[in-house]
Amino acid sequence: MARLNMVEAIDQALRQEMDRDDTVIVLGEDVGRDGGVFRVTDGLYERFGEDRVMDTPLAESGIVGFAIGMAIGGFKPVAEIQFSGFVYPAYDQLLSHAARFRTRTRGQRTVPMVVRMPYGGGIRALEHHSESMEAIFAHIPGLKVVIPADPYEAKGLLTSAIRDPDPVVFFEPARVYRAIKMDVPEEQYTLPIGEARVVREGADLTLIAWGAHVRTIKEAAERLAADKRCDVEVIDIRTIAPFDAATVVASVKKTGRAIIVHEAPQSGGFGAEISAQIMERAVLHLEAPVKRVAGFDTIPPLSKLEDLYQPSVDLVVDEVIATMEF
Amino acid sequence: MARLNMVEAIDQALRQEMDRDDTVIVLGEDVGRDGGVFRVTDGLYERFGEDRVMDTPLAESGIVGFAIGMAIGGFKPVAEIQFSGFVYPAYDQLLSHAARFRTRTRGQRTVPMVVRMPYGGGIRALEHHSESMEAIFAHIPGLKVVIPADPYEAKGLLTSAIRDPDPVVFFEPARVYRAIKMDVPEEQYTLPIGEARVVREGADLTLIAWGAHVRTIKEAAERLAADKRCDVEVIDIRTIAPFDAATVVASVKKTGRAIIVHEAPQSGGFGAEISAQIMERAVLHLEAPVKRVAGFDTIPPLSKLEDLYQPSVDLVVDEVIATMEF
Amino acid sequence: MPVTTLVSYSVQRVEVMDVDGEVDASLMPALSPERITALYEVMVLTRVFDERMLKLQRQGRLGTFARVAGQEGAHVGAAFALADEDWMVPAFREAGAFLLRGMKMENFLQYWGGDERGNVFPEGVRMLPASIPVGTHMLHAAGLGWAMKKKGERSAVLTVFGEGATSEGDFSEAMNFAAVFQCPVVFFCQNNQWAISVPYHKQSQACTVAQKALGYGMPGTQVDGNDVFAVYKTVSDALENARNGGGPALIEAHTYRVTDHTTADDARRYREDAEVEEWRERDPIERLSRYMKKNGLLDDAGETAVREGAVAKVVEAVTAFELMEPPPPEEVFAHVFAEITPPLAEQRDRLLRRLEGRE
Amino acid sequence: MPVTTLVSYSVQRVEVMDVDGEVDASLMPALSPERITALYEVMVLTRVFDERMLKLQRQGRLGTFARVAGQEGAHVGAAFALADEDWMVPAFREAGAFLLRGMKMENFLQYWGGDERGNVFPEGVRMLPASIPVGTHMLHAAGLGWAMKKKGERSAVLTVFGEGATSEGDFSEAMNFAAVFQCPVVFFCQNNQWAISVPYHKQSQACTVAQKALGYGMPGTQVDGNDVFAVYKTVSDALENARNGGGPALIEAHTYRVTDHTTADDARRYREDAEVEEWRERDPIERLSRYMKKNGLLDDAGETAVREGAVAKVVEAVTAFELMEPPPPEEVFAHVFAEITPPLAEQRDRLLRRLEGRE
Ligand SMILES: Cc1ncc(C[n+]2csc(CCOP(=O)(O)OP(=O)(O)O)c2C)c(N)n1
Ligand SMILES: Cc1ncc(C[n+]2csc(CCOP(=O)(O)OP(=O)(O)O)c2C)c(N)n1
Ligand SMILES: [Mg+2]
Ligand SMILES: [Mg+2]
């Protein structure tokens, strides 16, 4: 079993699924000869040619709208948006068409499609390159929103996303891309879309995150355990749509406490949905209010102040302690 | 004092503010000679001419992007999007530019602008004409999101929105447009952006809504009072961004119960944010879990099944009773 | 030479049949009398259906819809050029093309009456449903065209839209993608001079819509959109060229919206009757009937018979429409995803329990 | 005649100075020796600054940025045609225009070093900051142009973008709005043949970017973008025409990106060195210096002096940049709205309390 980083794991997932199913087509800006600006599609152009690894014109709405047509025509497009900060021109095609074709045609026309993109901060990037706006996709009926936390997850979830009969938005935490390596099986495997994952069991408090911040909360949990402060359960939400309330609720019923961590702006972030669901399904089990540790309701600052914006392990640890002491 | 419906109240607000401030420019599709497809801009073209009431080409991103330039150039554009279902092509200009110019230029370039649009269901409309996606705007840092519930509110809030130095998205509940008439002062007045409004005081439970569903919850409260079942407080959120947590929290601390009503899809709707804030600030005061009565996570059905989708007075009444009996 | 000419273009207009029904033999497409009669019949059926839909809407039995009367020469002529293997990707003002492609009238009524189930085409009909967000669907046509080409099919895609739609950025992206990937797509613009209340000269400064093709390295042609032979010929040629690997084309049908924009509109608020009257005289159906009469394909009795036949069909469809059951509540949740998700199942069950409790 | 020609267009290319520095006198713009020297100086300064920024980036003192070396003829030439009252609306590859318009180099470094405060222009400078989302800012230029016209100002707007940007729908919408409202805007495309790894022929099937203007009823011209006189002349004329109410224009500067796309890119992955070398020979600065030497405006010593002067200025700016204080934490919240909202004030106060607690 090879040790891969997330870029390599995604690249491998794409390659293997393209080998298996020749209707799978990768398209996007610079995905071809360049192999993508993060090299996620490295080697695919050489292996599959320009008909299956398509460099498109510079137009995100075009990419997604064209991919919708490809999907209706019997292909499985996997579109890359170069950075999630540039997906907004395609928001209309995603919401008004990709997510609706099945409903409006009672299943006669469908859009099996993946739109993948790097997202999130912590990479010292330019303006518009650090956003974390997954919540606005989770609110669109008819879309699935998947966010892997590590290389193993990325490979399995992407394989599932490609095989899914419905449109999936696949957010890849840019911060994780090359930050960690881990064992990833060479053979293909899938992971379930719609199921959260208990990363670490614990009795006292449930920490909840997705994407890059699964690592943040895992580290926080480990530090708290090492310091013998408390025993924290760690949940990776994994697919924020559909949201697996059952796993979260079961955990909170056990621990009685929960903190949700995300880097997206707090107001209207997906953390609110999780908190609201805990309210609806488990409030009587709470020993302390559910808290959110989230980004500010500001534009993500440029690199000089970026660290202030990102939820840190320190901050999470402090908030856990405060909740434990509530 | 004339009795006006919401269309007339908004039209009047626009006319009076255009009279007062000749940098105010109305632009959009069919806002000119046609007076807007809902007649909201009726008479403005005749009064102010085509330079101040501009029929634009059919392009929403164009309208908002062009308006941004106008605003930076010293004007106060009030752009109309014909239906909120067609605002998504302009989402990028709103998020990536309108909402960010002030931040990125440290206040040197600003975008005082209003983008108004009818939204919401209940009008037996075509596909894409019944959406209620206000939550995706409330999640954008740098935008204000204002939603009037009745003609009086509409006039005052729109006047404030136009005078606001920052970009405001102004959602007009299409269902309310001609549904009610009420006394609206002829003279200009403003209403605060960022303050929720207690529409009816009550002791037992807080009902929370905005836009068309303020009427739903008011009727529910009245019916419950008439039936002597309970005494419900009714809050009109009015501006979901910035969100006035203080008013909601004060009310819930008093009543100990809350239900949030909106027609947007439940998952990731703005109701989640309100519930989460109650969790964070008032959970110890609750006598029952906070509930949401919201749209399904589906595409709004066409007219034949539309009524199932909309939160009804009946449903709200039943949920209030269930919460009271919790 | 320091100022050099890099490229030169011109835009042509094609006319085959004049208002009196006289045709230019050199351009006249090869259509058998039977085909011409079939074309005429579907144009008349489209007109009769449109008039009946207006009545149904006024009676509250249909929601808002966009009339097509006066534009039959354009979109019916274009759709008539399609082979069964071709796809059509419409906007929302192409009722005649729906009928021609095999959509049942009762289902068309069902959809515009507020029931999504009316969007289902008979098996094997290659057509997408109406697209309400203006300008967005041409990208689907481009991608679909790519798919047909990639599969090695000898088929093409016809996508139809109004001149207002050409202002949307998505139109530009669709044209560009189709050109860059040489997709077999014919972009067919019904330039009916109005986008609700906005006349063409306020929509664009370009003399023609056709010339927009030049910016994408694509050929662009204008045709008289009320001349069904010119439309048929130009679209046929473009489709055939596309099927043969010749790439996409833009065709502008120069026509006119003689009706209100939709049943919710009142065009007298923004335009002069005189302009409308002028265009009524160029009616595409009357023009075709003049040609047919001159050429022995139709007489007054035949004209009446065609109309009466159309009325009978429409009456039958309306009856079928009126017998349709309303959709059951679970339809709201049935097709959001291939398999219903747990959150949706929960919402559905809650609704059904509530509805049961009420009964 | 049933096939008629409706409109004809051709696209011209303007060249004034050849690679050897020889100019066509009939087209040579009226520029005094002082102005030519000033133009040369800012082009050299731009080059020196660009090279220094690369070093700073490699040392980790700047973030990712887009180099401009080789494109000074295009964007500096264009910006040189602006009057103070004109606006400029740039993309992100126009460093020379920033310097020319009065942005301080240290602030430019500050911004690309990750501090928004570097985006503030000296009072009265009419320019917008860099726009990262490709293709989106031309709409702002159109609206700004409209505002200038409406105010009765005799000023125009120059907006600059790459050929990749012309694929975005917003480009099309901006062109159309500017044409329909006859805004005084010059759309200036630096067609440097590459959009990251995508060459122009995969970006568009159109022979030229210039011809895209035709679809909007706007004039379109191509110029040799490495010929600063041709650029200056064409842009000057278009700006003057726009100021006089003649409406917008599109100008394509035919140039080349000899560098990597940005400091995060490696162009050797996708293109041949030979192509790059060919274009290096058309270097716009060397071409101008040849002209100046031939015409007694520059000698070798002068050339060295200009370069050394530029280096000195850059060194000074870098020093100033390095002395800058990092922004205080409250800057995160300071300019979201004109007046901070209660939720933001709460978030800010919480952060500040936390930071205090740490100290
Ligand atoms: C994106 C979008 N914006 C606005 C509308 C509202 N609308 C419906 S039809 C129409 C005019 C369309 O004009 P055109 O494209 O010329 O087609 P026509 O109606 O003339 O057939 C408008 C503005 C819409 N449906 N979609
Ligand atoms: C909307 C958007 N999509 C993608 C990107 C990523 N990106 C940055 S520059 C660039 C290429 C731009 O090409 P071009 O317009 O030709 O300008 P050039 O870089 O050649 O100056 C891309 C794809 C972006 N910044 N914005
Ligand atoms: Mg039209
Ligand atoms: Mg380029």
Side-chain angles (χ1 to χ4, degrees):
Chain A
M1 199 147 50
R3 289 187 71 78
L4 303 182
N5 66 27
M6 190 184 273
V7 165
E8 294 159 342
I10 296 173
D11 196 358
Q12 187 179 86
L14 289 169
R15 177 166 53 72
Q16 293 180 340
E17 196 59 15
M18 290 179 82
D19 274 335
R20 199 186 72 100
D21 176 356
D22 61 17
T23 67
V24 177
I25 309 288
V26 164
L27 75 162
E29 296 158 12
D30 307 293
V31 297
R33 189 156 281 150
D34 195 32
V37 296
F38 282 105
R39 308 288 173 254
V40 171
T41 55
D42 198 26
L44 300 182
Y45 180 89
E46 290 70 20
R47 187 179 183 93
F48 300 105
E50 68 173 1
D51 253 24
R52 292 191 61 201
V53 186
M54 299 166 66
D55 275 328
T56 65
L58 209 176
E60 290 74 14
S61 185
I63 292 168
V64 173
F66 193 80
I68 290 171
M70 295 165 87
I72 292 175
F75 289 85
K76 291 191 169 179
V78 181
E80 173 175 304
I81 299 294
Q82 203 159 80
F83 286 89
S84 74
F86 307 129
V87 70
Y88 311 115
Y91 192 74
D92 185 40
Q93 285 288 347
L94 281 165
L95 182 151
S96 301
H97 291 296
R100 298 174 82 121
F101 256 109
R102 181 185 291 280
T103 286
R104 53 201 297 272
T105 65
R106 307 281 92 191
Q108 189 175 42
R109 311 280 181 231
T110 62
V111 185
M113 167 172 93
V114 178
V115 180
R116 21 168 313 271
M117 62 197 117
Y119 90 110
I123 54 165
R124 300 262 173 279
L126 302 178
E127 287 185 84
H128 307 277
H129 288 69
S130 303
E131 277 64 19
S132 180
M133 291 292 282
E134 64 278 12
I136 64 162
F137 295 89
H139 190 47
I140 300 179
L143 282 192
K144 295 181 178 174
V145 181
V146 176
I147 313 181
D150 66 34
Y152 178 87
E153 288 285 307
K155 180 174 174 183
L157 287 169
L158 182 57
T159 304
S160 299
I162 299 174
R163 296 182 190 176
D164 197 280
D166 285 301
V168 177
V169 180
F170 195 84
F171 283 101
E172 300 164 5
R175 184 138 78 120
V176 180
Y177 265 165
R178 296 177 183 280
I180 43 171
K181 289 207 173 216
M182 66 190 288
D183 287 341
V184 176
E186 171 64 28
E187 53 281 10
Q188 285 198 292
Y189 57 94
T190 60
L191 293 171
I193 289 178
E195 283 181 26
R197 172 175 73 110
V198 178
V199 174
R200 179 186 197 284
E201 304 215 359
D204 300 332
L205 182 146
T206 308
L207 274 174
I208 300 164
W210 51 91
H213 288 290
V214 172
R215 202 165 151 219
T216 310
I217 61 174
K218 230 166 74 183
E219 282 181 35
E222 281 154 15
R223 194 188 299 173
L224 287 156
D227 295 353
K228 305 214 171 10
R229 303 220 45 148
C230 56
D231 182 22
V232 169
E233 181 140 314
V234 171
I235 294 185
D236 172 9
I237 291 299
R238 201 146 76 167
T239 68
I240 61 170
F243 169 60
D244 175 8
T247 299
V248 169
V249 167
S251 173
V252 175
K253 282 188 176 165
K254 178 177 74 174
T255 63
R257 299 176 187 86
I259 296 177
I260 305 141
V261 177
H262 62 69
E263 63 184 273
Q266 169 159 315
S267 290
F270 198 75
E273 178 64 31
I274 300 177
S275 178
Q277 296 245 9
I278 297 172
M279 167 71 88
E280 287 152 16
R281 297 168 195 260
V283 72
L284 296 183
H285 300 263
L286 291 179
E287 318 253 349
V290 175
K291 232 183 233 176
R292 292 175 288 169
V293 174
F296 310 125
D297 294 340
T298 69
I299 317 300
L302 289 182
S303 60
K304 291 278 185 232
L305 293 178
E306 183 176 15
D307 290 342
L308 296 177
Y309 189 88
Q310 287 285 330
S312 63
V313 176
D314 281 352
L315 179 58
V316 173
V317 164
D318 291 352
E319 294 288 5
V320 169
I321 293 170
T323 296
M324 291 304 299
E325 289 170 357
F326 180 82
Chain B
M1 198 146 50
R3 290 186 71 77
L4 303 182
N5 65 28
M6 190 184 273
V7 165
E8 293 159 343
I10 295 172
D11 196 358
Q12 187 179 86
L14 289 169
R15 177 167 52 71
Q16 292 180 342
E17 196 58 15
M18 291 179 81
D19 274 335
R20 199 186 73 99
D21 176 356
D22 61 17
T23 68
V24 177
I25 309 288
V26 164
L27 74 162
E29 295 159 13
D30 306 293
V31 297
R33 189 157 280 148
D34 195 34
V37 295
F38 282 106
R39 308 286 173 256
V40 170
T41 55
D42 198 26
L44 299 182
Y45 180 88
E46 291 70 19
R47 188 180 182 94
F48 299 105
E50 68 173 1
D51 253 24
R52 292 191 61 202
V53 186
M54 299 168 64
D55 275 327
T56 65
L58 209 175
E60 290 75 14
S61 185
I63 292 167
V64 172
F66 193 80
I68 289 171
M70 294 165 87
I72 292 174
F75 289 85
K76 291 191 170 181
V78 181
E80 173 175 304
I81 300 293
Q82 202 159 78
F83 286 89
S84 74
F86 308 129
V87 71
Y88 311 114
Y91 193 73
D92 185 41
Q93 285 288 345
L94 281 165
L95 183 151
S96 301
H97 291 296
R100 297 175 83 120
F101 256 109
R102 181 185 291 280
T103 286
R104 54 202 295 273
T105 65
R106 307 281 91 189
Q108 191 177 40
R109 311 282 181 227
T110 61
V111 184
M113 167 172 92
V114 178
V115 179
R116 23 171 308 274
M117 62 196 117
Y119 91 111
I123 54 165
R124 301 261 174 278
L126 301 177
E127 286 185 85
H128 307 276
H129 287 69
S130 301
E131 277 64 20
S132 180
M133 291 291 283
E134 64 277 12
I136 65 161
F137 295 89
H139 190 48
I140 300 179
L143 282 192
K144 296 182 178 175
V145 181
V146 177
I147 313 181
D150 66 34
Y152 178 87
E153 287 285 306
K155 180 174 174 181
L157 287 169
L158 182 57
T159 305
S160 298
I162 299 174
R163 295 183 191 174
D164 197 279
D166 285 301
V168 177
V169 180
F170 195 84
F171 282 101
E172 301 165 5
R175 184 139 79 120
V176 180
Y177 265 166
R178 295 176 184 279
I180 43 171
K181 287 207 173 215
M182 67 191 288
D183 286 342
V184 175
E186 172 63 28
E187 54 282 8
Q188 284 198 292
Y189 58 95
T190 60
L191 294 171
I193 289 178
E195 284 181 26
R197 171 175 73 108
V198 178
V199 174
R200 180 187 195 283
E201 304 215 357
D204 300 332
L205 182 147
T206 306
L207 275 173
I208 299 164
W210 51 90
H213 288 288
V214 172
R215 204 166 150 218
T216 310
I217 62 175
K218 230 165 77 182
E219 282 180 35
E222 280 155 15
R223 194 189 297 172
L224 288 155
D227 296 353
K228 303 216 173 10
R229 304 223 42 152
C230 57
D231 181 23
V232 169
E233 181 140 312
V234 170
I235 293 184
D236 172 9
I237 292 298
R238 202 147 77 169
T239 70
I240 61 170
F243 169 60
D244 175 8
T247 298
V248 169
V249 167
S251 173
V252 175
K253 283 189 174 162
K254 180 177 73 174
T255 63
R257 298 177 188 86
I259 296 177
I260 306 141
V261 177
H262 62 68
E263 63 183 274
Q266 169 159 314
S267 290
F270 198 73
E273 178 64 30
I274 300 177
S275 178
Q277 296 245 8
I278 296 172
M279 167 71 87
E280 285 151 17
R281 298 167 195 261
V283 71
L284 296 183
H285 299 262
L286 291 179
E287 317 252 350
V290 174
K291 231 184 234 174
R292 293 175 288 170
V293 174
F296 309 124
D297 295 340
T298 69
I299 318 300
L302 290 182
S303 61
K304 291 278 185 232
L305 293 179
E306 182 176 15
D307 289 342
L308 296 178
Y309 188 89
Q310 286 285 329
S312 64
V313 176
D314 280 352
L315 178 59
V316 173
V317 164
D318 290 352
E319 294 288 5
V320 169
I321 293 169
T323 296
M324 290 305 299
E325 288 170 357
F326 180 83
Chain C
M1 205 175 72
V3 176
T4 46
T5 296
L6 292 175
V7 280
S8 294
Y9 298 103
S10 57
V11 173
Q12 251 88 45
R13 177 177 165 107
V14 178
E15 297 172 5
V16 173
M17 170 169 61
D18 69 15
V19 189
D20 300 322
E22 297 293 348
V23 300
D24 180 312
S26 70
L27 291 173
M28 181 66 190
L31 281 168
S32 65
E34 294 70 34
R35 291 268 286 157
I36 292 176
T37 302
L39 179 55
Y40 177 71
E41 282 173 359
V42 72
M43 287 170 72
V44 171
L45 180 64
T46 302
R47 178 73 54 90
V48 169
F49 188 50
D50 186 75
E51 286 163 355
R52 186 51 171 262
M53 280 184 72
L54 178 65
K55 284 211 189 94
L56 292 169
Q57 194 278 337
R58 294 301 188 229
Q59 293 162 357
R61 291 191 280 176
L62 290 183
T64 303
F65 78 99
R67 296 191 59 191
V68 299
Q71 293 185 212
E72 298 92 345
H75 70 276
V76 177
F80 202 71
L82 291 167
D84 284 350
E85 304 74 47
D86 296 327
W87 277 89
M88 175 157 173
V89 180
F92 50 80
R93 199 185 297 282
E94 298 87 10
F98 279 77
L99 305 190
L100 192 56
R101 293 293 280 173
M103 172 54 90
K104 291 200 191 139
M105 275 184 278
E106 54 265 41
N107 289 334
F108 196 81
L109 294 171
Q110 183 183 27
Y111 170 71
W112 292 100
D115 181 347
E116 291 84 352
R117 295 175 303 170
N119 255 343
V120 181
F121 288 87
E123 188 61 33
V125 172
R126 292 188 140 186
M127 187 153 177
L128 296 189
S131 181
I132 306 287
V134 169
T136 55
H137 60 290
M138 295 91 99
L139 275 166
H140 312 157
L144 204 43
W146 180 92
M148 296 305 109
K149 181 172 132 175
K150 169 90 178 145
K151 283 185 183 163
E153 291 193 10
R154 228 189 132 275
S155 59
V157 182
L158 173 72
T159 183
V160 184
F161 48 91
E163 84 292 349
T166 68
S167 293
E168 291 281 1
D170 273 8
F171 163 72
S172 176
E173 300 189 12
M175 292 285 287
N176 193 40
F177 272 65
V180 164
F181 296 116
Q182 288 291 292
C183 305
V185 179
V186 176
F187 291 85
F188 185 78
C189 177
Q190 299 198 79
N191 181 351
N192 63 6
Q193 312 305 320
W194 292 89
I196 308 189
S197 72
V198 178
Y200 178 62
H201 71 270
K202 286 189 170 186
Q203 194 68 244
S204 170
Q205 283 284 112
C207 305
T208 66
V209 166
Q211 76 201 60
K212 288 179 179 288
L214 307 180
Y216 309 94
M218 203 191 283
T221 310
Q222 189 187 80
V223 297
D224 179 343
N226 287 12
D227 168 357
V228 72
F229 291 141
V231 171
Y232 174 79
K233 182 196 160 39
T234 317
V235 175
S236 291
D237 291 351
L239 285 169
E240 190 55 16
N241 182 55
R243 291 185 202 108
N244 290 334
L250 172 65
I251 295 169
E252 170 189 10
H254 186 239
T255 182
Y256 194 80
R257 197 194 81 211
V258 293
T259 65
D260 289 337
H261 168 67
T262 62
T263 51
D265 178 49
D266 175 7
R268 286 164 309 176
R269 287 178 66 94
Y270 51 77
R271 72 179 182 187
E272 302 300 323
D273 279 349
E275 182 182 297
V276 183
E277 283 318 311
E278 208 175 290
W279 276 90
R280 278 195 198 279
E281 281 159 28
R282 304 181 207 163
D283 187 89
I285 296 181
E286 282 172 29
R287 205 192 284 196
L288 177 58
S289 101
R290 274 179 218 127
Y291 165 86
M292 289 172 74
K293 285 180 182 174
K294 281 188 184 167
N295 290 274
L297 302 177
L298 191 72
D299 56 18
D300 287 355
E303 194 166 17
T304 310
V306 168
R307 194 171 169 93
E308 282 173 358
V311 170
K313 280 189 200 159
V314 169
V315 167
E316 198 182 323
V318 171
T319 308
F321 163 60
E322 295 190 327
L323 290 171
M324 285 173 174
E325 293 289 327
E330 50 272 29
E331 277 286 321
V332 175
F333 305 89
H335 298 286
V336 182
F337 297 107
E339 217 177 303
I340 194 163
T341 59
L344 280 171
E346 203 182 311
Q347 294 179 5
R348 178 196 58 196
D349 296 347
R350 206 183 313 130
L351 173 70
L352 295 181
R353 273 199 309 277
R354 186 176 163 78
L355 292 174
E356 258 166 37
R358 295 249 147 161
E359 276 157 9
Chain D
M1 206 175 70
V3 177
T4 47
T5 295
L6 293 175
V7 281
S8 295
Y9 298 102
S10 58
V11 172
Q12 251 88 46
R13 176 176 167 109
V14 178
E15 298 172 5
V16 172
M17 172 168 60
D18 69 15
V19 188
D20 300 322
E22 296 292 346
V23 301
D24 180 314
S26 70
L27 291 173
M28 180 65 191
L31 282 168
S32 67
E34 293 71 33
R35 291 268 286 156
I36 293 175
T37 303
L39 180 54
Y40 177 71
E41 283 173 358
V42 72
M43 286 169 73
V44 172
L45 180 65
T46 303
R47 178 72 54 91
V48 169
F49 187 50
D50 187 74
E51 287 162 354
R52 187 50 171 264
M53 280 183 71
L54 178 65
K55 285 211 189 96
L56 292 169
Q57 195 278 337
R58 295 299 188 229
Q59 293 161 356
R61 291 192 280 175
L62 290 182
T64 304
F65 78 99
R67 297 192 58 190
V68 300
Q71 292 184 214
E72 299 91 346
H75 71 277
V76 176
F80 202 71
L82 290 168
D84 285 349
E85 304 75 48
D86 296 328
W87 278 89
M88 174 155 173
V89 180
F92 49 80
R93 199 184 296 283
E94 297 87 10
F98 278 77
L99 305 188
L100 193 55
R101 292 294 280 172
M103 171 54 89
K104 290 201 191 136
M105 275 183 279
E106 53 265 41
N107 290 334
F108 196 81
L109 295 171
Q110 184 183 24
Y111 170 71
W112 293 99
D115 181 347
E116 291 84 351
R117 294 175 305 170
N119 255 341
V120 180
F121 287 87
E123 188 63 32
V125 172
R126 292 186 141 187
M127 186 152 177
L128 296 189
S131 181
I132 306 286
V134 170
T136 55
H137 59 290
M138 295 91 98
L139 275 166
H140 313 156
L144 203 44
W146 180 90
M148 296 304 109
K149 181 171 132 176
K150 168 88 179 148
K151 282 184 183 163
E153 289 193 10
R154 226 187 133 277
S155 58
V157 182
L158 174 72
T159 183
V160 185
F161 49 92
E163 84 293 347
T166 67
S167 294
E168 290 281 1
D170 273 9
F171 164 72
S172 176
E173 300 189 12
M175 292 285 287
N176 194 40
F177 272 66
V180 164
F181 296 117
Q182 287 291 293
C183 305
V185 179
V186 176
F187 291 84
F188 185 79
C189 178
Q190 298 197 81
N191 181 352
N192 62 7
Q193 312 306 320
W194 291 89
I196 309 188
S197 71
V198 178
Y200 178 61
H201 72 270
K202 285 190 168 187
Q203 194 67 245
S204 170
Q205 284 283 113
C207 305
T208 66
V209 166
Q211 75 201 60
K212 290 180 178 285
L214 308 181
Y216 310 95
M218 201 192 284
T221 309
Q222 189 187 81
V223 297
D224 179 343
N226 287 12
D227 168 356
V228 72
F229 291 142
V231 171
Y232 173 80
K233 182 197 160 38
T234 317
V235 175
S236 292
D237 291 353
L239 285 169
E240 189 58 14
N241 182 55
R243 291 185 202 109
N244 290 334
L250 171 65
I251 296 169
E252 170 190 11
H254 186 239
T255 182
Y256 194 80
R257 198 195 79 212
V258 293
T259 65
D260 290 336
H261 167 66
T262 62
T263 51
D265 178 49
D266 176 6
R268 285 165 309 175
R269 287 179 66 92
Y270 51 76
R271 72 179 182 187
E272 304 300 323
D273 278 350
E275 182 183 298
V276 182
E277 282 319 309
E278 208 175 291
W279 276 90
R280 278 196 198 280
E281 281 158 29
R282 303 181 208 163
D283 187 273
I285 296 180
E286 283 171 29
R287 204 190 286 196
L288 178 57
S289 100
R290 274 178 217 125
Y291 166 86
M292 290 173 73
K293 286 180 182 173
K294 281 186 185 170
N295 289 275
L297 302 177
L298 191 73
D299 55 19
D300 288 354
E303 197 166 14
T304 310
V306 168
R307 195 172 166 93
E308 283 174 357
V311 170
K313 279 189 200 159
V314 169
V315 167
E316 197 181 325
V318 171
T319 308
F321 163 59
E322 295 190 327
L323 289 172
M324 285 174 175
E325 293 289 327
E330 51 271 29
E331 277 285 320
V332 175
F333 306 90
H335 298 286
V336 183
F337 297 107
E339 217 177 303
I340 194 164
T341 59
L344 281 170
E346 203 182 309
Q347 294 180 4
R348 178 195 58 196
D349 295 348
R350 207 183 314 133
L351 173 71
L352 295 181
R353 272 198 311 275
R354 187 175 162 77
L355 292 173
E356 259 165 39
R358 295 250 145 162
E359 277 155 12

